[in-house]
Structure formats: C-alpha cells, structure tokens
Amino acid sequence: DLVEVTTRAQPVLRMTLAAALLLPPTTLLGATWPVLAPRLGARGATGLYAANTSGAVLGVLLATFALLPALGVRTTEVTAAVLGCAVAVAALAIAPKPTGLPTPEAVERPRSGVAPVEVLFAGFAAGLAALGLEVVWTRLAAVGLGGSVQTIGVVLATFLAAVAAGAWIGRTWPRDPRLGLGWGLGALAALALLGAWTWGLLPYGVAIAYAGFGADGLLPASALLAAIAMGGAPAASGIAFSCAVRLLEGRLGHAAGGLYAANTAGSILGSVAGGLWA
C-alpha cells in the first residue's frame, strides 16, 4: 500500500518541486516588462513586448538546435543564466545614478492607473486561448511530425514568432485599438478553427518534403507546416495584446502590470487546462 501511494504521489511531487524551482526566476522575469513599459509609452511598450518575444524565438532555436546538442542540458542552463547576469550588469551600468533631484523621466512619467475590467478580461482571454491552443498544437505536431525535442522547439518557435509579428503589427494597426482588440480575439478563434482542418494533412506534407528535399528538408518543412496549421491564430493573439496595451495609453503605471498579470494568468490556466484536463 505504501509503495502504491508513493507511486501515485510521485507526479504531484515532481510538479510541486518543479514549480517551486521555477517560480522565483520566472516571477522576477515577469516583472521586467511592467517596470519598463510606463517609461516607454504604449507604442514603445508594445515594441518592447515584440522584441522580447523575438528574443524568446531565438532562445528556443539556439537551445534546441545548437546549445543542447553541443553542450548538454546543464551547460545550456548555465549559459542562459550567465547571459541573464550579463544583461543585468549592462542595465545597471547604463542606469542613471540617483542625485536626489527629480529626473526628466520621473517628471514625464505617465500617471499610474488601473486597467479597465474589460481590458483585463480581454488580456486574460487572449492568454487563455493562445496557450491552451499551443499545448494542443504541440500534441498534434508530435503525432504528425514526430515527438522529438526538435519538433517541440519548432512548434514553440513558430508560435512565438507569430505572436511577436502580431504584437509588432498591433503597435500601430488598426488606428482604433478597440477595434483591433475585438478583431484580434475574433481572428484568434476563427483562424484556429481554420487551421484545425489542416492538421490531418501534416504527415502527407512531411512525406512530400522528404521526397523532394530529403532529411535536410524535414525541419524547415515542419516549421512551415506548423505555421500553416496554426492558421495565424498566434499572430492574432499578439495583435490583441498590443491593442490592449494601447488602450492604456496615459496610465501605464500600475495598469501595465495588471494587464500583463491577467494575460499571464490566462496563459497559465490555458496551458494547465489544455495539458492536464481538456
């Protein structure tokens, strides 16, 4: 009985331990964008979000196809940590030194405010849908393209690249961010449904790519097929988030953190529900 109870408890214990190890660094990482966003304005904040997500794409590709095969898991982890420390040192080096007098940035800093409930809900819904879909897409890609680390890396990088592209588009389009928020969430649903029709064709696409280009063509073909199957839905999610940020223009102080927290909370719920329940 003790062995059975221990065996059943192992997945929960592993998940709890993993969460305990991940929470401190990811909590600090989540604080970076809300800290910078109020000083950049809505347009600059959305550009920063797009740049940060683009860096995530590069990190996924480097870790999956270069660092992990060459250095292994532990050295790759240490390399990422050292890179983070280097960025921290550079940020501290260029930060203005306190003088006791108000700086121009402090004088011109946008006033703080709380994001409207409907904007918070929209950010939550965008994260919920996008990450729930990302879990499903990863599972489908494992079936259609193979369950390797490379497949997971390709799907995640494609997803993040589309989000970054959408966030960049949403910086300035459409002119009315309320319309962009609504269109973005609507397109997220419609494009995901449209892309769902193509998942069954993935194995045929892989076979065609192998016949035409050999083994070297499989990874690029997999990325292209995954992008087609996602149907542009992640880009729509990025547009929706950028438009939600633009709706907070002039009060990005506390509102930026609230929106980012709502979007991340939705992402957490979407990934947990998609991976462990739905």
Side-chain angles (χ1 to χ4, degrees):
D1 292 342
L2 180 61
V3 172
E4 183 179 354
V5 170
T6 304
T7 302
R8 290 181 177 179
Q10 281 182 354
V12 177
L13 292 174
R14 287 198 298 266
M15 292 174 61
T16 302
L17 180 59
L21 293 173
L22 286 171
L23 275 174
T26 52
T27 300
L28 294 171
L29 180 64
T32 55
W33 184 83
V35 165
L36 293 172
R39 295 184 177 273
L40 300 176
R43 186 170 179 177
T46 53
L48 178 64
Y49 180 78
N52 179 257
T53 309
S54 299
V57 174
L58 182 60
V60 169
L61 294 176
L62 282 176
T64 302
F65 299 105
L67 297 179
L68 282 173
L71 304 177
V73 174
R74 182 48 54 100
T75 306
T76 299
E77 183 180 19
V78 172
T79 301
V82 170
L83 179 60
C85 291
V87 173
V89 170
L92 292 172
I94 65 175
K97 301 301 184 290
T99 61
L101 299 175
T103 63
E105 291 83 0
V107 173
E108 297 172 6
R109 182 173 181 174
R111 63 184 178 87
S112 298
V114 178
V117 174
E118 60 271 20
V119 176
L120 292 176
F121 180 77
F124 177 86
L128 174 72
L131 264 293
L133 285 167
E134 198 273 336
V135 171
V136 175
W137 289 330
T138 301
R139 173 61 179 161
L140 289 171
V143 174
L145 304 174
S148 65
V149 173
Q150 287 77 14
T151 296
I152 297 174
V154 165
V155 172
L156 181 57
T158 304
F159 173 84
L160 291 173
V163 171
W168 189 262
I169 293 171
R171 293 173 66 243
T172 56
W173 182 89
R175 181 174 298 179
D176 186 348
R178 293 172 297 178
L179 292 177
L181 182 56
W183 289 345
L185 291 175
L188 170 61
L191 291 172
L193 290 175
L194 182 63
W197 290 354
T198 67
W199 281 102
L201 303 176
L202 257 63
Y204 302 102
V206 171
I208 293 172
Y210 183 79
F213 304 100
D216 293 338
L218 287 181
L219 280 177
S222 297
L224 177 61
L225 291 169
I228 294 173
M230 290 179 191
S237 174
I239 291 174
F241 183 81
S242 282
C243 288
V245 174
R246 287 168 57 195
L247 285 171
L248 304 179
E249 182 70 87
R251 50 177 171 181
L252 273 175
H254 296 300
L259 174 61
Y260 196 58
N263 181 256
T264 305
S267 300
I268 294 169
L269 181 59
S271 61
V272 171
L276 302 180
W277 176 68

